[in-house]
Amino acid sequence: MPRYVIERTLPGAGKLSERDLKALSIKSNGVLHELGPEINWVESFVTDDKIYCVYVAPNDEMIREHAKRGGFPADSVAQVRAIISPTTAE
């Protein structure tokens, strides 16, 4: 199944409290439950003003539907074509 990286602009994201992040996670999980087992949230990275999320889903339309239903921004949705790491050089 394809993997996607979603860029979400959220000014002040890095200053969100643990409670705020938990609330966002609960909301996201609720929408994922509604959409069914085909879409999975892998992890997210919170920076100062953005959140970068990694999802597994059959297509980008499902990613965008998750964002729409959850009220989350999805400034860009990019399909991962390859994964590399330091071991790729070996």
Side-chain angles (χ1 to χ4, degrees):
M1 180 126 23
R3 185 177 295 245
Y4 295 88
V5 176
I6 301 97
E7 179 181 24
R8 306 180 191 281
T9 300
L10 187 61
K15 294 179 182 174
L16 290 171
S17 68
E18 189 174 316
R19 183 183 201 177
D20 293 334
L21 292 171
K22 182 175 182 175
L24 285 172
S25 298
I26 290 169
K27 176 72 172 176
S28 179
N29 284 339
V31 175
L32 290 169
H33 181 74
E34 290 173 8
L35 291 173
E38 291 184 308
I39 182 171
N40 292 288
W41 175 21
V42 177
E43 62 188 343
S44 296
F45 303 91
V46 180
T47 65
D48 289 338
D49 294 314
K50 293 184 184 274
I51 299 177
Y52 298 91
C53 303
V54 179
Y55 279 71
V56 175
N59 52 56
D60 66 335
E61 290 85 10
M62 187 168 269
I63 300 288
R64 294 181 191 286
E65 182 63 23
H66 172 266
K68 180 181 169 186
R69 288 189 193 187
F72 311 119
D75 303 314
S76 69
V77 177
Q79 185 174 345
V80 175
R81 300 297 181 184
I83 298 173
I84 61 172
S85 70
T87 60
T88 305
E90 296 174 358

